[in-house]
Amino acid sequence: MQSPRDITELAERARALTGRTLREVASAFAEQHTGSRVHRKGKLGQLVEQVLGASAGSRQVPDFPALGVELKTIPLDAQGRPRESTFVASFSLADAESACWERSAVRHKLAHVLWIPVHVDEPEPRFGAPLFWRPTHAQEQVLRGDFDDIMGMVAIGHVEELTAHLGRWLQARPKAAHGRVRTVAYGAEGPQLALPRGFYLRARVTSALLRDPATLAFSE
Amino acid sequence: MQSPRDITELAERARALTGRTLREVASAFAEQHTGSRVHRKGKLGQLVEQVLGASAGSRQVPDFPALGVELKTIPLDAQGRPRESTFVASFSLADAESACWERSAVRHKLAHVLWIPVHVDEPEPRFGAPLFWRPTHAQEQVLRGDFDDIMGMVAIGHVEELTAHLGRWLQARPKAAHGRVRTVAYGAEGPQLALPRGFYLRARVTSALLRDPATLAFSE
DNA sequence: TAGGATCCAGCTTTGGATCCTT
DNA sequence: AAGGATCCAAAGCTGGATCCTA
């Protein structure tokens, strides 16, 4: 599928998925694109990328580079809620000191997100209604605060206090590539070993966001 | 046992328990006080009250009225941490509007606490080191903030949003006396049924407090 | 019955581990 | 190996229920 030319076209493609089953969408797509290099049904994310025409390059750029939009498929359980937190970006403990929110991958990835919910617990998994999200100014302050808290903890060398509890909307969790890649951070007590980490959006937050993006408030 | 005359005497009695088993303490106490109205070994709290000479009256006053000290025995698990949140005081939804921190039972009960930890998961349960705690000014601000948040929620009639999630150190939890006593609160939508509630200190907080009272900071 | 403490089923969260594609 | 998504056991938390003594 070609890249959408503008947000409107992307929105139309996304809306067209609502209520349809993965199976339907996958087979319809396969029929129309028999010539192209179609990966078999593959993983959910890949299917959605292809159907919506996201660029499948390596990601230092958004999924829709021309539009500046990041694509996130998000699995929902039987009650319509995300089961898991959502990965945003990984970070290295080493460059915590030089990190700043404005230039962070987290801010860029979350600046404009197209959420594609998928009800995966139904007998025949089905797409939900898509949502474009741009954090409001107030929402961005919460994200920035979490980012600063987390990076600040690392920067002063308190890696052992960096738990997934920290952060209201964003949390830092282990991102265990092979379970043995370790990053060295230089803290007050010298070099420390630590697992690589990633920023994640709490499930509670994405749940509230999908339910009612307008009222996602500080109380979450 | 007579009431301690001053804090020093109370502290000495409390320190004398450290490391001793409940059994030892209970039988030693029984021997010395055969004449007095001794309740059988009874519950842990009662034993400690008797051994330390707390007044056993009904409690609108502190356990040591002359000293203004509240006594709290706190069970610790095998890792030395409290398993449960600690009950502080109950409250009625009806008088939330007129409630204020300064006159609250919560503030008075927590103004000066003598914590007596008991390692209950060991084969022979044993007393830990006692701790006198007076909240610092900063700590009291956290408690006050939680109190205001909780009471505020009730005062505006949002009883259904009053969950145990609210509050950093204090939380409101059901205090189900017989499971059917219900309190009526008058909110925006008229009278509402609700379980009676109590203020509790989160286990995370008492845990940090007992481990290192000086560094119990805002991050908890 | 009130104050207070303890118990506990079920749910949620954490802290990784595993898996996949590029 | 990097980027990303999903899986899962253990631990922690919530929302009561139960129990105890005065």
Side-chain angles (χ1 to χ4, degrees), chain A:
Chain A
M1 179 68 86
Q2 289 185 34
S3 290
R5 281 159 313 185
D6 52 26
I7 294 275
T8 305
E9 189 176 348
L10 177 55
E12 279 166 11
R13 289 187 196 171
R15 257 202 308 272
L17 296 177
T18 309
R20 299 177 66 195
T21 69
L22 301 198
R23 188 187 304 272
E24 277 171 26
V25 172
S27 61
F29 184 82
E31 275 179 25
Q32 290 168 29
H33 300 264
T34 38
S36 69
R37 183 171 46 85
V38 176
H39 315 104
R40 284 145 324 191
K41 48 193 169 186
K43 306 300 286 221
L44 176 52
Q46 260 79 31
L47 171 63
V48 177
E49 278 182 13
Q50 295 196 317
V51 171
L52 297 181
S55 64
S58 79
R59 302 304 153 47
Q60 300 303 61
V61 293
D63 295 291
F64 300 96
L67 308 179
V69 170
E70 187 73 21
L71 178 66
K72 289 280 180 197
T73 61
I74 184 164
L76 305 183
D77 64 16
Q79 291 90 62
R81 289 178 312 200
R83 278 185 292 213
E84 294 279 343
S85 55
T86 300
F87 178 77
V88 180
S90 53
F91 68 99
S92 84
L93 300 183
D95 48 43
E97 289 175 72
S98 63
C100 86
W101 170 251
E102 272 71 21
R103 294 184 223 289
S104 68
V106 178
R107 186 172 83 86
H108 289 109
K109 298 239 179 189
L110 296 184
H112 200 168
V113 180
L114 170 55
W115 297 98
I116 305 284
V118 182
H119 298 272
V120 290
D121 272 6
E122 297 180 10
E124 194 60 47
R126 199 175 279 275
F127 287 98
L131 171 72
F132 284 93
W133 179 54
R134 276 180 207 263
T136 64
H137 184 257
Q139 289 170 346
E140 191 178 331
Q141 294 316 305
V142 176
L143 296 170
R144 176 209 294 268
D146 290 344
F147 180 89
D148 289 346
D149 287 351
I150 290 167
M151 285 313 210
M153 201 60 92
V154 177
I156 61 176
H158 290 197
V159 178
E160 61 302 338
E161 292 175 50
L162 180 59
T163 72
H165 296 279
L166 192 59
R168 292 203 290 161
W169 291 6
L170 286 173
Q171 62 180 171
R173 297 183 54 183
K175 168 123 186 27
H178 312 111
R180 64 175 56 80
V181 175
R182 284 165 189 280
T183 309
V184 178
Y186 294 90
E189 301 94 19
Q192 304 181 350
L193 290 180
L195 290 171
R197 313 280 177 146
F199 280 102
Y200 293 79
L201 271 178
R202 293 183 182 279
R204 189 192 337 133
V205 175
T206 51
S207 182
L209 181 64
L210 293 176
R211 193 166 308 112
D212 187 354
T215 63
L216 177 61
F218 287 107
S219 57
E220 292 301 329

Side-chain angles (χ1 to χ4, degrees), chain B residues 127-198:
Chain B
F127 288 99
L131 171 71
F132 284 93
W133 179 53
R134 276 181 208 262
T136 64
H137 184 256
Q139 288 170 345
E140 191 177 330
Q141 294 317 306
V142 177
L143 296 171
R144 177 210 294 269
D146 290 344
F147 180 89
D148 289 345
D149 287 351
I150 290 167
M151 285 313 209
M153 203 59 93
V154 177
I156 60 176
H158 292 196
V159 178
E160 62 302 339
E161 291 175 50
L162 179 59
T163 73
H165 295 279
L166 191 59
R168 291 203 291 162
W169 291 6
L170 285 172
Q171 61 181 172
R173 297 184 54 185
K175 167 120 182 36
H178 312 110
R180 62 176 57 81
V181 174
R182 284 164 188 280
T183 308
V184 179
Y186 295 89
E189 302 92 18
Q192 304 182 351
L193 291 181
L195 290 171
R197 312 282 176 145

